Amino acid sequence: MTSTDKLIQMAIAVVLFFAVTGLILVLTARLRSRNGERVQAAAFIAPSLLLIAVGLLYPAVGTIYQSFFGSSYQPILGGGNEGNFVGLDNYRRIFTNGDLLQVLQNTALWVVLTPLVATTIGLVYAVLIDRSRFEKVAKALIFLPMAISLVGASIIWKFMYDYKGTDQDQLGVLNALLKAVGFDTYRFLLTEPWNTFFLIVIIVWVQAGFAMTILSAAIKAIPDDIVEAAKLDGVNGLKLFRYITVPSIRPSLIVVLTTISITTLKVFDIVRTATGGQFGTSVLAYEFYVQSFRSFDFGLGAALATLIFVLVTPIVVYNIRQMRRLEAR
Amino acid sequence: MSGLGLAACADDSSDGGSNEAGGTAPGAGREECAQLEEFGDLSGREVSVYTSIIAPEDAVHKESYKVFEECTGATVAYEGSSEFEAQLVVRVQGGNAPDIAYIPQPGLLQTLVRDTDAVVAAPDSVSENVDEFFGEDWKAYGTVDDTFYAAPLGANVKSFVWYSPSQFEENGWEVPETWDDMLALSDEMVDAGVKPWCAGIESGDATGWPATDWLEDAVLRDAGPDVYDQWVNHDIPFNDPAIVESLDRVGGILKNEDYVNGGIGDVKSIATTAFQEGGLPILDGECGLHRQASFYAAQWPEGTDVSETGDVFAFYLPTTSDEFGTPVLGGGEFVAAFSDEPEVQAFQTYLSSDVWANEKAIATPGGWVSANTGLDIANLKSPIDQLSAEILQDPEAVFRFDGSDQMPGAVGAGSFWSEMTNWITGAETQATLDNIEDSWPS
């Protein structure tokens, strides 16, 4: 397709958009009653709902359907290969196969550790630099990694972790440091199970800035009179943090924790870039990709995707509820 | 959004049915256009090509299409992607297949033919070209369930050991003729204070593949091509005693702390060394031997003299016995079509001809070779390409395609890679092969 074709298509799309919007306006313009407004609203929501159904619901249902079939691709509307229905076999494999169990275990480690560590670091940092002289610079420093893609961050850390034998010249910063103080060099990305923790460090490095930003804003929103009242009552230091700061920013804390959990559940880039899922570091989102698009086991891939969906749903629901509460205040 | 969809649909279905193009081809009468004349005038038509061959190698590919464009008037739209294997399947299933795809794995071709029904059988003109210019084995790799789909395009020879001719000369070492000679030479290197072998199998999410090549080469030499075929097709189990023996033979080199890993570290460092960097210590004299395919020629830094008397060159990985002739392990791409429009068939015909092979050879500075017997070796510029072509065209050579590329994806691009990586980092031979056998789809 040439760029002229693309421009023409775009023009058609824009014209169609105006035509549909105009049509809805004309058709619903006469409705004035309360019921009429409802019809009007529905008419405007309908196209979006339709697009969501086509772009989100249909593939979601298709994936769940696919997860009950064997390896070959199973289009939801018939055609293709029929008759390799395997029931819950793919799910049984996830929870019995040794390699896949390790994937589950790794995912659990990621999802538990990342939000806790990243939020803790972000919170402590936000409190420490609050109203300090270097606040802006300090904030910028921890926020900078947020601007780097996870792939970029992984490549940076791959250099940090690079391994060469102790008697060789070192390329990796960490191993150069180890060697400088007289230790043997260490295989950061290869030694199980610690390599998973070293990968988690990468996402924490990226996400701590996000946690810090949100929490710092929440801390600044705590009314001064509350803090003053507490201080008059003789509450200071750690106690002020424990009894005033943390309870005041609790909704923000939960939003940060859940948002990072969701990001972590779908982490893919870090594992792919840093280890390629080798040395026992694979996680659900990466394994889903490997099974679907490298092994072409579409059934197992779909089952893994469905599992991520099931795991992430309660967190999303909780996250949205907390956000609403936050906004209601 | 819906407008885009409508326009795209209209675009796809508009030219259905016009399977014959008339008129006289623009290049009619020219010698190199002889095969393409029957397709007539294809001016204004376009063939889309989707491949895993990306910059800088794509430039010479496009260059080699000029004769086709001049002969037929059609143009070629080239698109390369490093995500080719995964994206191709997605595109085909999404109804957005390219006209032509260069598929580097017979296993992927089988998956596409059997699971998507979208691959179009090769026209007679292509089939005839392949009969004329390629060996039967090559035609078989492009055939699925007795239908011939895809003609071979490029090829590479994997059974090479890279070494430094100047280092060999300084130390009075000689290129070994047999496997045992090669081990004796390795011991000599150890005595001279050089770790003989260097290796790297890290390759992002494909980590492990260079180790699979080692095993395949060993099986081909120890057990012979017939057992190799049975093993690849799963007619014998993956953990057959013959395979165990071959992997132990490989372990004699790769898992031998005295032999590896020259200039990099110990045995485990093989797993975390990028395959592109695996052989580089040869240049510093820190290692003597590196087993890697002909395409490794492109990895040496600019200015390296790749020749029989230069900084680096390669020799044929020796045989373990003279029972099975000269086994050669290799790879290559195959041209699969998803459309039977005349311009697509004309392009397939062109690519399978000796005309293209020679055009490509002339356009390429080095790092490309084909199994096309119509290829004049004199047209290849780099000495390693010439050596590869000689090996491929040698009637004594027993060629076999890379085994992992023919196995089902779950093994060939999955457990085989990852278990070989685990084997390097310490897993036992028997357990490694058992695990791969267990993962073979039933």
Side-chain angles (χ1 to χ4, degrees):
Chain A
M1 208 184 323
T2 63
S3 34
T4 338
D5 289 345
K6 285 181 187 163
L7 273 177
I8 293 171
Q9 283 197 358
M10 195 182 72
I12 295 174
V14 171
V15 169
L16 261 175
F17 173 78
F18 279 113
V20 171
T21 318
L23 192 72
I24 295 172
L25 274 174
V26 170
L27 287 179
T28 57
R30 305 225 181 129
L31 302 165
R32 293 260 179 255
S33 64
R34 193 163 172 76
N35 273 336
E37 273 176 21
R38 287 210 181 115
V39 175
Q40 214 166 12
F44 277 102
I45 293 169
S48 317
L49 280 182
L50 190 76
L51 286 180
I52 289 175
V54 172
L56 214 62
L57 289 180
Y58 173 74
V61 172
T63 303
I64 295 172
Y65 177 79
Q66 174 86 61
S67 73
F68 299 115
F69 286 86
S71 55
S72 61
Y73 179 70
Q74 203 69 33
I76 185 168
L77 295 178
N81 288 284
E82 298 289 342
N84 60 346
F85 182 80
V86 296
L88 290 172
D89 200 44
N90 288 322
Y91 294 94
R92 191 186 53 76
R93 272 166 77 195
I94 297 177
F95 291 103
T96 53
N97 177 300
D99 290 341
L100 290 170
L101 275 178
Q102 182 172 32
V103 169
L104 286 180
Q105 189 193 324
N106 287 342
T107 310
L109 269 180
W110 279 82
V111 176
V112 171
L113 279 180
T114 313
L116 287 180
V117 178
T119 312
T120 308
I121 292 177
L123 176 60
V124 171
Y125 198 87
V127 172
L128 289 182
I129 60 161
D130 194 40
R131 286 168 209 189
S132 77
R133 260 201 299 160
F134 314 105
E135 185 170 345
K136 279 180 185 153
V137 180
K139 272 187 171 173
L141 275 181
I142 194 172
F143 194 74
L144 270 178
M146 281 286 285
I148 302 172
S149 73
L150 288 182
V151 173
S154 309
I155 291 173
I156 293 172
W157 279 90
K158 236 179 130 174
F159 280 116
M160 298 284 286
Y161 290 144
D162 189 83
Y163 171 84
K164 292 254 159 51
T166 311
D167 44 352
Q168 310 282 341
D169 288 337
Q170 297 300 318
L171 180 69
V173 173
L174 294 177
N175 273 324
L177 287 175
L178 280 180
K179 189 179 170 182
V181 292
F183 287 104
D184 278 347
T185 52
Y186 186 75
R187 301 168 203 280
F188 289 97
L189 293 176
L190 197 136
T191 317
E192 289 178 58
W194 307 111
N195 48 7
T196 293
F197 293 93
F198 291 119
L199 293 187
I200 292 175
V201 167
I202 304 176
I203 196 169
V204 168
W205 182 69
V206 172
Q207 291 287 336
F210 163 75
M212 182 275 300
T213 315
I214 307 279
L215 296 177
S216 172
I219 291 170
K220 292 199 187 305
I222 302 174
D224 283 344
D225 41 357
I226 294 183
V227 180
E228 265 171 44
K231 280 185 176 161
L232 284 177
D233 285 345
V235 180
N236 262 315
L238 274 181
K239 277 192 173 167
L240 185 75
F241 176 73
R242 168 75 184 79
Y243 294 108
I244 305 295
T245 312
V246 172
S248 308
I249 61 167
R250 197 173 158 271
S252 303
L253 264 179
I254 291 171
V255 167
V256 168
L257 278 170
T258 47
T259 309
I260 297 181
S261 304
I262 296 167
T263 315
T264 312
L265 256 178
K266 42 180 205 185
V267 73
F268 162 88
D269 335 38
I270 293 179
V271 173
R272 179 164 191 216
T273 314
T275 62
Q278 295 287 352
F279 323 126
T281 56
S282 192
V283 291
L284 270 183
Y286 180 69
E287 198 62 23
F288 143 67
Y289 164 82
V290 168
Q291 294 298 343
S292 296
F293 300 120
R294 224 173 62 197
S295 297
F296 301 119
D297 191 339
F298 290 100
L300 184 57
L304 288 162
T306 309
L307 182 62
I308 299 175
F309 177 69
V310 168
L311 290 176
V312 90
T313 307
I315 309 180
V316 172
V317 170
Y318 190 61
N319 178 291
I320 292 175
R321 282 200 179 160
Q322 289 297 325
M323 286 244 239
R324 279 207 191 127
R325 262 209 205 162
L326 202 59
E327 275 158 18
R329 297 202 329 168
Chain B
M1 278 304 285
S2 54
L4 278 174
L6 285 177
C9 286
D11 194 45
D12 277 347
S13 54
S14 61
D15 55 358
S18 65
N19 225 341
E20 285 303 317
T24 312
R30 283 170 60 176
E31 192 192 343
E32 65 268 30
C33 299
Q35 281 206 345
L36 300 171
E37 271 180 42
E38 58 165 309
F39 293 99
D41 185 6
L42 299 170
S43 298
R45 290 174 180 251
E46 190 181 86
V47 184
S48 64
V49 176
Y50 189 51
T51 89
S52 58
I53 301 164
I54 53 172
E57 289 169 74
D58 59 344
V60 285
H61 253 284
K62 291 175 203 160
E63 180 74 24
S64 70
Y65 303 153
K66 277 203 176 132
V67 169
F68 170 76
E69 296 183 333
E70 285 164 16
C71 287
T72 60
T75 51
V76 178
Y78 187 98
E79 184 190 352
S81 164
S82 53
E83 297 286 307
F84 169 81
E85 278 93 343
Q87 286 304 313
L88 178 66
V89 180
V90 173
R91 280 183 61 171
V92 171
Q93 279 166 351
N96 186 26
D99 292 333
I100 298 269
Y102 298 163
I103 297 178
Q105 294 145 356
L108 179 58
L109 177 69
Q110 284 173 18
T111 303
L112 283 168
V113 169
R114 291 185 184 145
D115 281 6
T116 69
D117 237 10
V119 187
V120 180
D124 291 340
S125 51
V126 173
S127 186
E128 283 158 19
N129 270 347
V130 173
D131 287 337
E132 185 178 350
F133 296 117
F134 291 89
E136 272 174 40
D137 41 3
W138 279 95
K139 191 171 187 188
Y141 296 126
T143 304
V144 184
D145 300 333
D146 295 330
T147 307
F148 175 62
Y149 288 95
L153 190 75
N156 55 65
V157 175
K158 299 202 174 205
S159 306
F160 275 136
V161 178
W162 290 86
Y163 72 108
S164 162
S166 48
Q167 186 193 20
F168 268 48
E169 180 155 329
E170 266 169 45
N171 291 281
W173 297 332
E174 281 191 11
V175 169
E177 298 284 328
T178 68
W179 193 282
D180 290 336
D181 284 354
M182 189 166 75
L183 294 185
L185 172 66
S186 306
D187 289 330
E188 237 179 281
M189 291 179 173
V190 174
D191 292 341
V194 175
K195 285 252 172 149
W197 293 87
C198 43
I201 62 166
E202 197 273 345
S203 179
D205 68 348
T207 296
W209 69 259
T212 69
D213 288 358
W214 264 99
L215 176 58
E216 286 157 11
D217 250 333
V219 171
L220 215 43
R221 281 161 177 70
D222 278 346
D226 291 341
V227 173
Y228 180 85
D229 291 341
Q230 290 164 10
W231 177 59
V232 168
N233 296 323
H234 209 225
D235 295 333
I236 58 171
F238 199 98
N239 52 359
D240 188 88
I243 314 302
V244 176
E245 200 181 308
S246 294
L247 187 53
D248 278 335
R249 176 185 288 282
V250 175
I253 292 176
L254 286 187
K255 292 181 94 169
N256 184 339
E257 292 283 0
D258 295 335
Y259 280 6
V260 293
N261 190 9
I264 301 167
D266 55 4
V267 169
K268 283 184 179 176
S269 70
I270 294 174
T272 46
T273 302
F275 85 91
Q276 294 96 332
E277 288 160 22
L280 300 184
I282 289 181
L283 293 174
D284 308 324
E286 292 188 77
C287 108
L289 303 162
H290 178 63
R291 187 215 155 282
Q292 191 52 275
S294 52
F295 56 69
Y296 200 75
Q299 297 301 334
W300 303 106
E302 241 182 292
T304 309
D305 177 7
V306 183
S307 71
E308 215 157 340
T309 52
D311 302 325
V312 285
F313 201 59
F315 61 78
Y316 169 75
L317 178 71
T319 49
T320 57
S321 70
D322 42 19
E323 204 177 329
F324 304 111
T326 316
V328 179
L329 184 73
E333 311 94 36
F334 296 84
V335 182
F338 298 93
S339 152
D340 56 1
E341 295 291 319
E343 67 274 19
V344 176
Q345 298 199 337
F347 192 54
Q348 283 175 280
T349 310
Y350 175 65
L351 290 179
S352 59
S353 68
D354 54 339
V355 177
W356 178 74
N358 286 301
E359 280 295 320
K360 178 72 173 70
I362 292 165
T364 312
W368 180 86
V369 67
S370 165
N372 191 315
T373 52
L375 171 65
D376 183 354
I377 293 180
N379 280 333
L380 293 165
K381 295 187 187 70
S382 122
I384 198 76
D385 290 345
Q386 291 171 354
L387 178 60
S388 304
E390 273 168 34
I391 290 177
L392 285 170
Q393 296 187 3
D394 177 5
E396 293 292 304
V398 181
F399 182 84
R400 281 298 179 275
F401 205 90
D402 183 312
S404 59
D405 285 348
Q406 299 178 70
M407 295 173 182
V411 176
S415 59
F416 199 178
W417 291 347
S418 54
E419 291 297 332
M420 287 301 284
T421 308
N422 293 343
W423 179 76
I424 289 286
T425 60
E428 295 296 327
T429 298
Q430 186 70 49
T432 300
L433 297 174
D434 290 350
N435 283 345
I436 303 175
E437 169 62 19
D438 286 346
S439 72
W440 199 288
S442 44

